[in-house]
Amino acid sequence: MKSHYSDPTGAQTIERRTLCVLVDNEPGVLARISGMFSGRGYNIESLTVSETEHEAHLSRITIVTSGTAAMLNQIEAQLSRLVPVHKVVNLSAKAAIERELALVKVAQFGEHRSEHRMEALRLATAFNAKTVDATLNSFIFELAGPYEDVERFINLMSAIGLVEVSRTGAAAIARGAEGL
Amino acid sequence: MSEMMTGAEMIVRAMQDQDVAHVFGYPGGAVLPIYDALFQQNSVQHILVRHEQGAVHSAEGYARSSGKVGVVLVTSGPGATNAVTGLTDALLDSIPLVCFTGQVPTHLIGSDAFQECDTVGITRHCTKHNYLVKRIEDLPRIIHEAFYVARTGRPGPVVIDVPKDVQFATGVYTGPDQVSHKSYRPKVEGDASRIAAAVEMMAKAKRPVFYTGGGIINAGTEASALLRELAKLTGFPVTSTLMGLGAFPANNPQWLGMLGMHGTYEANMAMHDCDLMINLGARFDDRITGRLDAFSPGSKKIHVDIDPSSINKTVKVDVGIIGDCKNVLAEMIRVWKDKKYQADAEALKGWWGEINKWRAKNSLGYVNDKQLIKPQYAIERLYAMTKDRNTYITTEVGQHQMWAAQHFHFDEPNRWMTSGGLGTMGYGLPAAIGVQMAHKDALVIDVAGEASILMNMQEMSTAAQYRLPVKVFILNNEYMGMVRQWQELLHGGRYSESYSQALPDFVKLAEAYHAKGIRCDDPAKLDAAIQEMIDYPGPVIFDCLVAKEENCLPMIPSGKAHNEMILPDFTGQIGDVIDAKGKQLV
Ligand SMILES: Cc1cc2nc3c(=O)[nH]c(=O)nc-3n(C[C@H](O)[C@H](O)[C@H](O)COP(=O)(O)OP(=O)(O)OC[C@H]3O[C@@H](n4cnc5c(N)ncnc54)[C@H](O)[C@@H]3O)c2cc1C
Ligand SMILES: Cc1ncc(C[n+]2csc(CCOP(=O)(O)OP(=O)(O)O)c2C)c(N)n1
Ligand SMILES: [Mg+2]
């Protein structure tokens, strides 16, 4: 398609990319990162942050984002030029383990109550989810797993009586002996 | 070297240690301790501006013309918010600045205290980096770090927000040499194998062009000298962006003039038809590329830039080299000589033949007039009469800026100060004041428009106070000419709100500001009037009444390609040139 600016994003394939960003844990650093995304119009699908090296005051931010390859490369370059950023690593380019934790509340089983309760528990077992709270008409499941598993679990629960979900967003780490 | 002192004293001491001779500022409650510390010493001179925006633009002019870091000092709240436009301007044009802002005491932060604003929040997006200093222990390190961040890598503005209690607190001062940054490490040496590959491509090129930008100016005068050497070795044509003017001498026959929206036909056609584009410190701005899918379709592209995010941002390149222009240019020259490369003389001859045909179109031509002063003519005369002097030019934003870029010629870097990226009307006069502060004996001229100059006119008072003989040369067309031109192009000539009504009498205004006022509307008297301006030892406002509806040509209309320029000999209806899609662009 001919346009006045570069190819519209729709014409190119959109990928998901998981980035690990190592930053100085100083006030405002998260605002710098998230502000870069909003200011330049990029997506954040999930973002997790926590101080991982207390001595060095280093925090590790894991960002899942999506866009065209060119856009994702630009996101990496823009992140790298922020002054408190030590390192940006594209974990999707490495074989990486990615996990997220979800707390899933299921309730209001309606007229097929006992059937649905059984089904919910069966699914939880199948997904290796823990039952962390139960009442006569509700459960809370804790599920840790890859993004896709969490998505599938939540979709299945919707059919049964999903009330609420809380997700942490991805934590990710590259396989093998090597560190960042 | 560790001494006890207050935070305010540390700020002044750190300025001294950073070789700061001038700071542009405006006082207020939250910076009084710093003003007191300034009062008690003589090595740092404070220049009192009349508006904080003026302070930042002055510091920009100072920095760009001297290669030093510009320094600004403003108070909290309105002082800081007034500085925002200047900071944004410096960010977009990569100008190194350190701006100190006062802040309410730490225990009041967040309480909506008097003159409190979230300065680091507000300036996060318009600075390269910013700091809120909460502890006196961090202050000296942060100041020296800020200077380092501002001037290295891709230069830019850095804000240091200092709460008033931190200014009063006492602590240990440490000097600049004890500072090293944990995460910020700009890369200055280019990758050797990529440079070798780039130089090999240059040796094989048949229709090459150097596309050079503000990065060469940022890299210092040595980089400009190296560019000249490389151009001489290769014999390739050179074009410059608005921000890069002067890095390559305008009087060199290899120079094609400025490129881009209001660039020359030969520069744009060379960019369009080249087989190898060598981008040195330019950022493929949309004023340059025009329509992206038609931008230089047949060329291989090399891009040298110190900022990795500039490479492949809008235009995909074949060889990206991250590094300082100075280092990379030196390495390119070394490789070219080592390998005993020779440019393809036969091919270059043909290429120059084509270029000379484009040149013959004389795309900067205009029809002169006996009765009216044509704006292009005014700039031509200004150039002719000042070129043998030690002259620096600043501009406001609009047609006059483009005419100055086209018709004033720069043979050296750091002589041309203009707001390119943000396009800030009101930049020129305060910038001229900053330039004059850095170059006391130079002739400093702000080429202005009658609308722009009113945006920071108050700075005439600063010029008067410090006896700075800046000259404001207004091309007065009684229009926001650039807006009027776009309305003619895009909106059927309906000149909505672009007429400059109720203008002040600029001659009287000059007099009110203790300056000299000169008015001229006659081409025959123009030279004498310019001479009078140059000869006057103090500040001057020159009201040059020019043809009102002159368009700034040539022009690549928005949404068009380089080979679709409107040239001065265009005879059609200018309003019919741009299609509906192009009209949506800026
Ligand atoms: C009304 C108006 C009209 C305009 N029309 C035109 C026009 O016709 N033509 C035109 O050219 N411009 C025009 N401009 C200006 C335009 O908007 C841009 O500001 C300008 O083109 C950018 O110049 P540049 O590419 O040289 O980049 P700059 O903004 O100067 O950026 C410098 C680049 O070099 C890099 N760099 C910095 N330091 C170094 C270093 N030491 N080593 C290596 N790289 C470094 C930076 O990372 C950056 O990518 C116009 C502006 C206005 C207001
Ligand atoms: C602060 C600011 N506001 C608005 C604009 C939009 N603008 C660009 S050029 C221009 C007109 C400038 O008029 P003048 O100073 O008379 O210059 P001329 O184009 O007539 O030479 C305007 C309003 C701008 N660049 N900056
Ligand atoms: Mg005007």
Side-chain angles (χ1 to χ4, degrees):
Chain A
M1 184 193 146
K2 288 269 173 202
S3 87
H4 294 96
Y5 283 133
S6 46
D7 278 357
T9 48
Q12 299 166 28
T13 44
I14 304 284
E15 313 163 23
R16 280 176 102 236
R17 190 174 289 184
T18 303
L19 301 173
C20 168
V21 188
L22 216 57
V23 299
D24 277 325
N25 184 14
E26 58 182 34
V29 66
L30 192 57
R32 277 182 220 287
I33 305 266
S34 60
M36 191 288 286
F37 277 83
S38 61
R40 293 182 184 268
Y42 302 133
N43 288 324
I44 298 183
E45 293 195 356
S46 86
L47 184 152
T48 61
V49 55
S50 180
E51 190 171 88
T52 48
E53 294 175 47
H54 299 301
E55 297 280 274
H57 288 292
L58 284 182
S59 284
R60 180 173 174 131
I61 300 180
T62 310
I63 304 174
V64 180
T65 175
S66 61
T68 62
M71 203 190 263
L72 293 169
N73 293 339
Q74 183 61 206
I75 289 174
E76 285 186 38
Q78 291 292 349
L79 285 170
S80 308
R81 74 204 276 267
L82 297 174
V83 170
V85 169
H86 287 253
K87 214 173 202 179
V88 179
V89 180
N90 172 4
L91 287 177
S92 302
K94 307 177 168 233
I97 311 272
E98 210 175 302
R99 291 290 180 271
E100 93 170 279
L101 186 113
L103 294 171
V104 182
K105 184 181 284 187
V106 184
Q108 292 159 346
F109 300 109
E111 44 181 297
H112 307 287
R113 183 156 156 267
S114 62
E115 233 172 89
H116 276 179
R117 272 180 78 82
M118 289 309 293
E119 192 53 37
L121 282 174
R122 265 199 296 271
L123 283 169
T125 317
F127 277 81
N128 251 337
K130 267 199 272 173
T131 310
V132 289
D133 180 64
T135 67
L136 286 178
N137 60 354
S138 72
F139 289 119
I140 297 174
F141 298 117
E142 173 194 313
L143 174 65
Y147 169 84
E148 295 76 17
D149 287 6
V150 175
E151 284 285 290
R152 274 199 302 140
F153 185 67
I154 292 169
N155 280 338
L156 288 169
M157 286 302 168
S158 309
I160 294 175
L162 187 71
V163 177
E164 198 179 332
V165 182
S166 172
R167 298 170 70 159
T168 57
I173 200 160
R175 288 178 193 269
E178 240 174 89
L180 263 186
Chain B
M1 187 181 56
S2 55
E3 267 175 75
M4 295 294 286
M5 59 183 83
T6 66
E9 286 163 352
M10 282 183 193
I11 289 171
V12 175
R13 175 62 179 279
M15 286 182 191
Q16 292 164 345
D17 286 351
Q18 290 286 347
D19 277 331
V20 175
H22 299 98
V23 39
F24 300 88
Y26 206 90
V31 282
L32 285 181
I34 306 173
Y35 273 85
D36 198 42
L38 280 170
F39 189 78
Q40 300 182 43
Q41 54 85 53
N42 285 318
S43 64
V44 179
Q45 188 193 352
H46 179 270
I47 294 96
L48 178 67
V49 296
R50 300 301 187 264
H51 185 296
E52 289 86 352
Q53 184 189 350
V56 187
H57 293 322
S58 288
E60 286 186 272
Y62 185 89
R64 188 74 168 184
S65 68
S66 69
K68 295 175 70 175
V69 176
V71 183
V72 178
L73 171 59
V74 298
T75 191
S76 66
T81 55
N82 270 351
V84 164
T85 300
L87 293 169
T88 313
D89 192 89
L91 182 70
L92 281 181
D93 285 345
S94 303
I95 311 287
L97 297 185
V98 171
C99 174
F100 293 90
T101 55
Q103 182 55 276
V104 301
T106 43
H107 67 277
L108 290 180
I109 289 178
S111 69
D112 297 329
F114 177 63
Q115 296 199 324
E116 179 187 359
C117 72
D118 177 6
T119 301
V120 284
I122 290 169
T123 61
R124 194 170 288 132
H125 296 270
C126 61
T127 52
K128 180 173 174 185
H129 194 49
N130 61 12
Y131 302 86
L132 169 63
V133 188
K134 287 197 170 158
R135 306 182 318 154
I136 184 76
E137 293 83 344
D138 297 330
L139 183 61
R141 173 185 59 80
I142 286 176
I143 301 175
H144 296 305
E145 217 175 272
F147 275 90
Y148 175 67
V149 169
R151 73 169 172 262
T152 55
R154 180 178 187 165
V158 178
V159 161
I160 311 177
D161 199 27
V162 192
K164 197 167 178 182
D165 54 330
V166 177
Q167 299 171 31
F168 276 121
T170 310
V172 179
Y173 175 77
T174 46
D177 40 319
Q178 294 161 44
V179 173
S180 78
H181 201 281
K182 283 188 288 183
S183 53
Y184 173 76
R185 272 184 206 88
K187 187 166 175 295
V188 292
E189 285 316 327
D191 181 276
S193 64
R194 291 192 183 199
I195 295 178
V199 178
E200 194 183 340
M201 285 160 81
M202 284 159 58
K204 288 187 184 150
K206 304 214 176 302
R207 298 188 309 279
V209 64
F210 283 116
Y211 154 39
T212 67
I216 308 237
I217 313 263
N218 286 133
T221 48
E222 234 177 287
S224 297
L226 290 166
L227 171 62
R228 288 152 208 237
E229 190 181 341
L230 185 62
K232 193 165 177 197
L233 274 177
T234 56
F236 295 175
V238 182
T239 176
S240 313
T241 66
L242 183 76
M243 295 308 293
L245 294 178
F248 194 75
N251 64 19
N252 186 310
Q254 275 170 261
W255 197 57
L256 306 182
M258 182 173 83
L259 78 164
M261 184 173 268
H262 292 291
T264 65
Y265 187 64
E266 54 271 32
N268 287 325
M269 288 302 289
M271 290 285 283
H272 187 268
D273 284 4
C274 65
D275 72 341
L276 181 68
M277 177 185 299
I278 309 130
N279 174 339
L280 302 168
R283 57 185 172 87
F284 291 111
D285 184 81
D286 55 55
R287 300 296 91 162
I288 301 300
T289 57
R291 181 172 154 174
L292 269 176
D293 63 359
F295 175 67
S296 195
S299 63
K300 291 253 186 250
K301 299 175 185 75
I302 297 167
H303 188 183
V304 181
D305 201 296
I306 203 159
D307 180 352
S309 78
S310 286
I311 292 172
N312 292 327
K313 180 164 66 179
T314 54
V315 172
K316 205 168 157 1
V317 296
D318 300 278
V319 181
I321 300 169
I322 299 163
D324 188 304
C325 277
K326 184 181 78 180
N327 303 54
V328 176
L329 275 166
E331 182 64 9
M332 283 179 157
I333 290 168
R334 195 191 63 74
V335 173
W336 183 278
K337 286 182 176 164
D338 261 22
K339 299 248 172 170
K340 303 203 164 49
Y341 280 136
Q342 300 272 324
D344 184 336
E346 191 63 26
L348 269 188
K349 201 168 156 227
W351 180 225
W352 274 109
E354 279 184 68
I355 290 172
N356 287 332
K357 275 189 222 145
W358 294 323
R359 258 186 184 158
K361 287 240 182 193
N362 187 25
S363 61
L364 297 181
Y366 62 95
V367 184
N368 212 350
D369 197 288
K370 283 225 155 55
Q371 263 76 48
L372 286 173
I373 301 178
K374 284 296 183 90
Q376 302 93 325
Y377 177 73
I379 301 288
E380 257 178 37
R381 294 317 302 157
L382 188 68
Y383 173 61
M385 299 185 65
T386 58
K387 67 172 189 231
D388 297 326
R389 295 171 179 267
N390 180 17
T391 308
Y392 291 79
I393 299 291
T394 70
T395 74
E396 307 289 338
V397 171
Q399 290 181 317
H400 61 276
Q401 174 189 27
M402 293 299 115
W403 282 316
Q406 293 171 337
H407 298 277
F408 207 100
H409 301 300
F410 301 90
D411 296 332
E412 290 167 54
N414 308 98
R415 297 275 167 168
W416 161 251
M417 269 55 59
T418 197
S419 171
L422 195 64
T424 312
M425 292 169 71
Y427 166 88
L429 173 57
I433 286 172
V435 174
Q436 191 84 72
M437 253 357 265
H439 308 276
K440 284 284 167 53
D441 300 323
L443 174 62
V444 184
I445 305 170
D446 170 26
V447 174
E450 83 293 337
S452 296
I453 191 64
L454 290 177
M455 287 221 175
N456 273 320
M457 180 48 103
Q458 77 287 345
E459 298 306 325
M460 280 304 290
S461 179
T462 310
Q465 177 177 344
Y466 295 92
R467 299 180 196 286
L468 300 173
V470 295
K471 319 295 181 200
V472 178
F473 190 77
I474 304 175
L475 294 182
N476 185 348
N477 50 11
E478 292 182 23
Y479 273 111
M480 297 174 193
M482 189 56 93
V483 174
R484 189 205 55 72
Q485 178 169 342
W486 280 62
Q487 287 171 332
E488 185 180 347
L489 266 162
L490 305 179
H491 297 284
R494 293 180 295 280
Y495 296 152
S496 177
E497 304 295 328
S498 55
Y499 185 67
S500 289
Q501 304 223 12
L503 283 172
D505 178 331
F506 284 110
V507 171
K508 284 190 186 148
L509 192 60
E511 285 158 10
Y513 278 119
H514 319 286
K516 183 181 180 65
I518 298 174
R519 180 171 293 122
C520 183
D521 63 356
D522 180 354
K525 294 182 182 147
L526 184 60
D527 279 15
I530 292 176
Q531 194 59 48
E532 188 186 351
M533 172 182 88
I534 296 170
D535 291 342
Y536 185 70
V540 175
I541 297 178
F542 190 120
D543 188 16
C544 188
L545 302 176
V546 297
K548 292 183 193 185
E549 299 197 1
E550 189 77 5
N551 280 327
C552 183
L553 296 175
M555 177 173 189
I556 305 177
S558 48
K560 298 275 178 182
H562 278 174
N563 56 354
E564 300 174 288
M565 291 194 87
I566 308 177
L567 293 172
D569 57 8
F570 179 76
T571 48
Q573 276 295 325
I574 220 167
D576 298 338
V577 177
I578 300 184
D579 60 19
K581 203 148 194 190
K583 284 185 186 176
Q584 295 176 18
L585 303 174
V586 288

